[in-house]
Amino acid sequence: MDWHFVFSQALTQAIGPTMLVYALAAIGLNLQFGYTGLLNFGQAAFAAMGAYGLAIGVVVLDLPFWWGIGLGLASAVVLALLLGIPTLRLRADYLAIVTIAAAEIVRRTARATGLSEYTGGSDGMRGFSEPFFAMNPYPSEATWTFLFASMDGGRLKLDFLLFDLQYSNRDLWVMTVGWVLVAFFLVLLGLLVRSPWGRVLKGIREDEEAVRSLGKNVFAYKMQALVIGGLIGAVAGFLFALSRANVQPDTFITDFTFYLYVIIILGGAARLFGPVLGAALFWFLYSFLSQGLNQGIRSGAIPEDWLSATQVGPLVFFLVGLSMVLLLIYRPQGILGDRRELTLDVR
Amino acid sequence: MSDSEEAVTAEEQPSTVPAGIAAARAALADVPAEPGVPKLDPILNATGVRRAFGGLVAVDVAHLEVQRGAITALIGPNGAGKTTFFNLLTGFDRPNRGEWVFDGRRADRMRSYQVARAGMVRTFQLTKALTRMTVMDNMLIGAADQVGEGFWAGLVHPLWKRQEAANREKALVLLERFKLIDKRDDYAGELSGGQRKLLEMARALMLNPRMVMLDEPMAGVNPALKQSLLEHIKDLREEGMTVLFVEHDMDMVHEIADWVAVMAAGELITEGTPDQISADRRVIDAYLGAHHDAAER
Ligand SMILES: Nc1ncnc2c1ncn2[C@@H]1O[C@H](COP(=O)(O)OP(=O)(O)O)[C@@H](O)[C@H]1O
Ligand SMILES: [Mg+2]
């Protein structure tokens, strides 16, 4: 059994483009759920606003790339206002119901046959990412070797003996942009959550009536958190669309949002670095299990009549779920959380 | 009323008679004990306030004026509508009808946060400490007009660091006074029930309110803390604040209230000094009618 391959794949995924998409979307959700206590179950819809805003802007409306980005961001703000205005004055669970429904409406609208002229229907859209990759500074043809790093026809390989990391020059560009965005939003949120503004958000999470009784316009703060978290979700959507050079309606299923919650809880809610650590762990675990089981079957270490290759997918989700349960039993505050907070008597 | 002098000397305040209590008792001395009676200088003036939940009329107060600078107790059996009345006055609930003026401004259309900014700050019958925040953060969030509470300004530390430092100073003074100073870095969720009541009151004072509305501040508090809560409430009066508080225990009411308003079945049935109220047959009936045991005096 090829452990080198399994580890290499898992670690490549743990810091790769897809992980960055989830990390960004989770950073936005962490502001909403972790700090403000808003139950947004429609982060997938905000990512879809970004992805489809960009794709429709460039492909259908023939706008320049940056206008497409602007359209994606504007759509996310509009969605946040549409969802927030009727629900944020009501009890917390109303937002949860409305956002989960809205996410499905967005996805089903995107895949509707009647609108496929504008959205590409269930096939999705492509042909909007060229301007992004035209900015790619990593050459596609270079070949060199330096210590443990080597470049072969634009493919970077970092060899750490026990495992290696390999990325195409397109991946490298997506990752560069993705990590810069992650760093930017972490700095932004770090400043915000340590400010009096962030203190009001945490107060709202604890008890919004108390915060109201202290003269704060709770509705306005919740709306700001929803909009900003949604905008970060849209940025994750850009990265998602660009990293695959296409948009697909079914990447924005509710599962996407649920994984974000897994990631936040794994890393520790209301911890600045929680979403990034959670996303890295999630994708490491996910790839490690899939690749490990596949390798096990291929090498004969797992007998064919125990497990077939088609059963690996569902089993991986079962095992990811099981590890979540174990985490909640043994470390309910998440990796970065503070156990003391959970033992508090919330009366 | 001539016995107001006696009441003052009976206070356990050292040497001189505190100015606040003297002024409050003097202002209420000649006010007749009738429901809805006008006061010399009302900070709150409410008329025709009604709130029904389906068929149940929870509040139907024809008229109430609250004397500025005095401690007024709102008493009445369970379910009389006291909390609902508080919720209405502070913007946490909307009346079916009714209007009121707080400190010269119409307040019946204000939202709860606007009421607080206007200077009327409440506490809750079920204490609302922000449990997963420190005691200090609970205090700081109370401060009014914070520059750093704006999104953009929040990003720029130099814009708000001096105000924050001043608020922290103020919070430390209040925490010292409410004997919570040693707890300042603990989570509010680690405090006892009585300490949470103290924290809630201290936090309300961070707003520099002109009127403090306390919903059963003494409920569930051990006797030692009860005494210190009483002293804190008296201090508010000495600082010129008006206090309206809900309480069941007539002993407590007697000890600190300058005036008592009595609610039963949503209506204001009578008002008067503590002595007048405890002698009032209607009050005893209202309590006994509700099988309540707090009206033994
Ligand atoms: N949200 C509500 N919905 C329905 N009935 C309510 C509500 N709030 C209070 N009530 C009813 O209104 C009456 C007054 O309640 P409340 O104001 O809590 O009384 P008090 O504080 O004097 O004990 C009670 O009969 C109570 O059951
Ligand atoms: Mg009550």
Side-chain angles (χ1 to χ4, degrees):
Chain A
M1 180 158 169
D2 191 349
W3 286 109
H4 180 274
F5 178 78
V6 172
F7 271 104
S8 298
Q9 286 291 311
L11 288 161
T12 300
Q13 284 288 312
I15 58 167
T18 311
M19 169 270 176
L20 286 165
V21 170
Y22 280 77
L24 279 170
I27 289 171
L29 187 60
N30 196 30
L31 179 69
Q32 298 165 335
F33 168 70
Y35 289 99
T36 321
L38 296 179
L39 288 171
N40 171 15
F41 278 110
Q43 189 69 336
F46 287 98
M49 288 295 128
Y52 273 94
L54 173 63
I56 292 174
V58 172
V59 177
V60 181
L61 305 177
D62 221 9
L63 297 173
F65 178 78
W66 291 109
W67 284 70
I69 296 286
L71 184 63
L73 294 174
S75 320
V77 173
V78 171
L79 181 68
L81 295 176
L82 278 177
L83 298 181
I85 288 170
T87 57
L88 289 181
R89 284 191 209 279
L90 306 175
R91 247 181 18 225
D93 28 357
Y94 286 87
L95 181 71
I97 296 164
V98 168
T99 48
I100 203 167
E104 272 302 279
I105 292 171
V106 166
R107 182 178 71 88
R108 281 168 191 275
T109 309
R111 77 199 306 282
T113 351
L115 294 171
S116 58
E117 202 182 324
Y118 308 105
T119 61
S122 54
D123 293 338
M125 304 173 86
R126 49 180 62 254
F128 53 84
S129 56
E130 284 74 16
F132 176 73
F133 288 109
M135 291 182 268
N136 189 352
Y138 300 104
S140 59
E141 290 307 324
T143 301
W144 46 257
T145 307
F146 181 73
L147 300 178
F148 60 92
S150 65
M151 183 75 98
D152 179 12
R155 190 167 183 82
L156 179 73
K157 179 173 173 182
L158 302 174
D159 195 344
F160 298 99
L161 297 178
L162 286 181
F163 63 92
D164 57 45
L165 302 177
Q166 293 191 40
Y167 298 102
S168 72
N169 72 319
R170 284 167 74 96
D171 283 345
L172 287 175
W173 178 222
V174 171
M175 285 165 69
T176 305
V177 172
W179 279 107
V180 167
L181 287 169
V182 164
F184 170 77
F185 285 122
L186 287 184
V187 170
L188 184 80
L189 253 61
L191 289 173
L192 282 173
V193 301
R194 282 167 182 75
S195 74
W197 185 83
R199 187 163 58 213
V200 176
L201 295 195
K202 287 179 223 165
I204 291 171
R205 174 192 70 197
E206 295 305 308
D207 193 320
E208 62 174 85
E209 297 223 313
V211 175
R212 222 173 258 141
S213 79
L214 298 170
K216 317 296 176 196
N217 185 350
V218 167
F219 176 75
Y221 281 98
K222 287 206 232 175
M223 189 57 96
Q224 288 174 21
L226 190 63
V227 168
I228 295 159
L231 280 172
I232 303 176
V235 170
F238 297 146
L239 204 68
F240 212 171
L242 292 171
S243 67
R244 298 168 174 221
N246 69 49
V247 288
Q248 292 279 338
D250 292 340
T251 45
F252 302 106
I253 47 174
T254 315
D255 299 22
F256 177 82
T257 307
F258 289 155
Y259 295 149
L260 298 178
Y261 274 95
V262 170
I263 283 167
I264 289 178
I265 292 165
L266 200 61
R271 300 287 139 176
L272 196 54
F273 291 96
V276 181
L277 187 68
L281 272 172
F282 178 82
W283 282 105
F284 176 83
L285 197 64
Y286 180 82
S287 325
F288 184 82
L289 291 171
S290 334
Q291 298 296 345
L293 289 170
N294 274 324
Q295 278 291 313
I297 292 169
R298 209 165 301 161
S299 67
I302 302 171
E304 188 76 48
D305 47 339
W306 284 19
L307 187 70
S308 70
T310 51
Q311 292 167 332
V312 168
L315 181 61
V316 167
F317 282 113
F318 171 78
L319 292 174
V320 169
L322 185 68
S323 17
M324 273 306 284
V325 173
L326 293 176
L327 178 87
L328 289 177
I329 293 171
Y330 293 107
R331 207 176 158 80
Q333 71 276 35
I335 308 287
L336 297 177
D338 182 349
R339 178 123 215 175
R340 209 161 57 118
E341 286 191 0
L342 287 183
T343 58
L344 293 178
D345 173 15
V346 183
R347 270 176 282 180
Chain B
M1 198 176 287
S2 59
D3 59 33
S4 66
E5 287 291 85
E6 265 176 48
V8 172
T9 44
E11 294 291 328
E12 290 178 0
Q13 298 285 336
S15 58
T16 54
V17 178
I21 183 171
R25 300 266 155 122
L28 291 161
D30 297 322
V31 177
E34 296 161 4
V37 65
K39 308 293 186 310
L40 272 181
D41 179 14
I43 190 170
L44 178 73
N45 190 332
T47 306
V49 182
R50 184 186 160 94
R51 174 67 163 114
F53 296 107
L56 176 90
V57 180
V59 169
D60 193 1
V61 172
H63 191 78
L64 176 68
E65 295 183 14
V66 176
Q67 171 62 36
R68 188 188 305 271
I71 298 178
T72 303
L74 184 62
I75 67 168
N78 264 327
K82 306 178 296 293
T83 296
T84 307
F85 191 45
F86 260 45
N87 288 343
L88 294 171
L89 292 176
T90 51
F92 278 82
D93 191 7
R94 292 269 164 238
N96 301 108
R97 60 163 191 264
E99 41 190 73
W100 55 93
V101 173
F102 170 68
D103 208 15
R105 291 166 66 185
R106 269 290 285 273
D108 48 84
R109 288 289 147 76
M110 287 186 188
R111 296 197 166 274
S112 48
Y113 73 93
Q114 294 167 324
V115 173
R117 288 183 191 178
M120 185 200 282
V121 178
R122 71 170 299 177
T123 65
F124 295 87
Q125 182 168 353
L126 297 170
T127 322
K128 292 188 182 296
L130 306 169
T131 47
R132 286 180 297 170
M133 292 169 71
T134 63
V135 168
M136 183 46 104
D137 275 346
N138 266 266
M139 295 295 288
L140 289 173
I141 201 174
D145 302 320
Q146 295 189 50
V147 175
E149 285 183 352
F151 173 78
W152 296 109
L155 288 170
V156 190
H157 185 234
L159 289 180
W160 47 268
K161 73 167 189 241
R162 288 188 53 194
Q163 190 186 31
E164 180 85 352
N167 288 338
R168 201 170 282 272
E169 283 304 308
K170 181 172 169 184
L172 285 173
V173 171
L174 282 166
L175 288 174
E176 181 80 58
R177 178 170 141 197
F178 282 80
K179 305 214 166 51
L180 290 169
I181 192 85
D182 297 334
K183 307 274 181 193
R184 63 181 177 270
D185 296 323
D186 291 2
Y187 283 115
E190 294 172 293
L191 300 180
S192 73
Q195 288 169 329
R196 290 180 195 208
K197 292 263 179 202
L198 287 170
L199 174 61
E200 212 184 9
M201 200 188 289
R203 187 175 67 189
L205 297 185
M206 286 295 289
L207 277 93
N208 298 326
R210 261 160 294 157
M211 180 162 177
V212 183
M213 316 269 287
L214 307 169
D215 197 353
E216 304 209 13
M218 252 72 85
V221 177
N222 72 48
L225 268 182
K226 241 178 213 173
Q227 200 51 45
S228 84
L229 263 166
L230 286 182
E231 294 307 322
H232 288 308
I233 296 174
K234 289 183 197 167
D235 289 345
L236 302 185
R237 175 177 54 196
E238 295 312 318
E239 289 168 28
M241 281 175 246
T242 308
V243 179
L244 181 65
F245 78 110
V246 172
E247 180 53 53
H248 280 299
D249 187 340
M250 268 312 279
D251 285 334
M252 296 290 167
V253 171
H254 247 273
E255 191 170 341
I256 62 170
D258 305 309
W259 193 256
V260 184
V262 188
M263 280 182 79
E267 293 177 31
L268 186 67
I269 57 167
T270 184
E271 289 183 57
T273 61
D275 288 330
Q276 289 166 333
I277 292 302
S278 37
D280 193 320
R281 192 67 228 170
R282 282 172 300 176
V283 178
I284 297 165
D285 286 347
Y287 272 93
L288 292 181
H291 302 290
H292 205 278
D293 59 359
E296 281 157 13
R297 277 185 72 110

